[in-house]
Amino acid sequence: MADWQAIAPWALTAGTFVLLCVQAILNRRRIQHLENRFRDRLETMGRELHATSSGSMGVGQRVIACERNLHELRMAVDEMRQNDPLRISYDEASRLVDLGADIDDLMNTCGISRPEAELVSALRRRQVA
């Protein structure tokens, strides 16, 4: 009985140490498993982020190209408006009305029809009044 009482604390200590070692080994395996899962998820997220950023860059380049095309179209429309022969005719007709030209002069000089000449003359006189 004396031997048992002397050995019991050492046996409990050794048993506890063995259990701690087993627990440490199990914890290390769990940690490795979690690290592997974390690494896999991190790689997946990296690939998804790369795909997303590549797609965003492509969309950004398309937006820039669309803006460039829009600017070119606006410039073309503005140029067409400035070079519109009908607009020039009406501007010229308006200037001639200011100088005192009658409807027949407007028709002959600007190449517009009688109703157009009458309209330009009436509008210009109304603006002056």
Side-chain angles (χ1 to χ4, degrees), residues 37-123:
R37 284 181 50 196
F38 179 73
R39 190 174 303 115
D40 291 343
R41 285 185 181 181
L42 187 61
E43 288 174 4
T44 302
M45 295 295 281
R47 285 191 301 269
E48 289 177 3
L49 179 62
H50 178 70
T52 302
S53 63
S54 296
S56 297
M57 288 174 51
V59 169
Q61 290 172 350
R62 285 180 140 180
V63 167
I64 290 170
C66 287
E67 287 176 346
R68 190 177 309 122
N69 289 339
L70 179 62
H71 178 70
E72 290 173 5
L73 288 172
R74 282 184 182 163
M75 297 294 286
V77 167
D78 289 343
E79 184 178 331
M80 288 171 55
R81 285 182 182 159
Q82 290 175 354
N83 296 331
D84 185 11
L86 293 177
R87 184 170 183 264
I88 293 171
S89 296
Y90 291 128
D91 289 344
E92 181 67 17
S94 179
R95 188 181 67 76
L96 290 174
V97 169
D98 288 342
L99 295 175
D102 64 357
I103 293 173
D104 290 329
D105 291 335
L106 294 178
M107 289 172 39
N108 293 332
T109 305
C110 300
I112 58 177
S113 66
R114 178 170 289 280
E116 291 172 323
E118 290 173 353
L119 180 62
V120 168
S121 179
L123 287 174

